[in-house]
Amino acid sequence: YTALQANAIAIRTYALKVTAEGTKPISNSTSNQVFTDKFFKSEAEKYVAARNAALSTASQVLTENNQLIMSEYSSFSKNVNYRCEGELCYTSYEKIGSKNSGTLHTVIAKKSWGLAGGHNRGMSQWGALYLAANGYTYKQILADFYAENVVIANYDYSYKSTDNVIL
């Protein structure tokens, strides 16, 4: 569940950043991120878990210097330093944020999860699940993947206009 909470904040931040805070449309393609979780037994379970993760982190976004960051995330990239040892696979991801942007850190996930691709920047969704399974809170997960000066902040939707947004 805490991995879904971390995802909800990263996804919300990404959507707001890419759409210029809701004033531009976002494309419906994998270029603008996609994630499914095969561990839920039914679509209803997926819906409830995702809804609860979004509600429990409502209005929380990732910022740096009071500005939304480009909170990239991907499944589990095999592009940089990828290797498997037994059941665990390792790769490297770049942190996002000006203080230590580009710093590589190791991400771990289970081979049996059917690890897909990605771009090695920001948060690994399977890596987030691995951290959650090992007791990390969503705040600790986000701190692991984003630069140390990136903070969780509350986003104020009250002054945003959606009058000109095309859905």
Side-chain angles (χ1 to χ4, degrees):
Y1 179 71
T2 59
L4 287 175
Q5 290 176 304
N7 273 275
I9 294 169
I11 291 165
R12 181 181 302 116
T13 305
Y14 182 87
L16 287 166
K17 183 74 171 177
V18 168
T19 64
E21 300 186 53
T23 61
K24 297 187 322 187
I26 191 168
S27 70
N28 183 17
S29 74
T30 57
S31 68
N32 282 312
Q33 314 295 329
V34 65
F35 180 66
T36 60
D37 192 332
K38 63 184 176 185
F39 295 108
F40 293 105
K41 294 177 183 144
S42 69
E43 289 301 313
E45 283 184 11
K46 286 180 188 179
Y47 171 78
V48 169
R51 183 177 185 275
N52 288 341
L55 288 173
S56 68
T57 62
S59 298
Q60 293 181 32
V61 293
L62 297 170
T63 64
E64 180 178 50
N65 301 320
N66 297 317
Q67 299 294 315
L68 294 168
I69 67 162
M70 182 58 82
S71 58
E72 293 179 85
Y73 55 94
S74 66
S75 175
F76 189 85
S77 179
K78 298 177 181 179
N79 296 332
V80 180
N81 301 326
Y82 176 76
R83 72 187 189 291
C84 291
E85 297 173 10
E87 174 57 19
L88 297 180
C89 294
Y90 304 83
T91 191
S92 295
Y93 267 64
E94 292 181 20
K95 290 188 176 257
I96 293 177
S98 65
K99 187 158 188 176
N100 50 357
S101 183
T103 301
L104 291 178
H105 66 104
T106 301
V107 177
I108 306 169
K110 291 188 176 183
K111 185 188 298 185
S112 62
W113 291 345
L115 308 173
H119 46 62
N120 297 89
R121 291 184 309 278
M123 185 175 66
S124 161
Q125 292 164 312
W126 290 121
L129 181 61
Y130 182 82
L131 294 176
N134 284 281
Y136 280 55
T137 67
Y138 74 90
K139 291 178 181 180
Q140 291 171 317
I141 292 168
L142 292 168
D144 191 67
F145 287 104
Y146 297 100
E148 61 187 73
N149 56 326
V150 171
V151 298
I152 298 172
N154 286 318
Y155 183 78
D156 181 6
Y157 291 93
S158 64
Y159 64 91
K160 306 300 179 211
S161 171
T162 57
D163 295 342
N164 298 318
V165 175
I166 301 168
L167 301 176

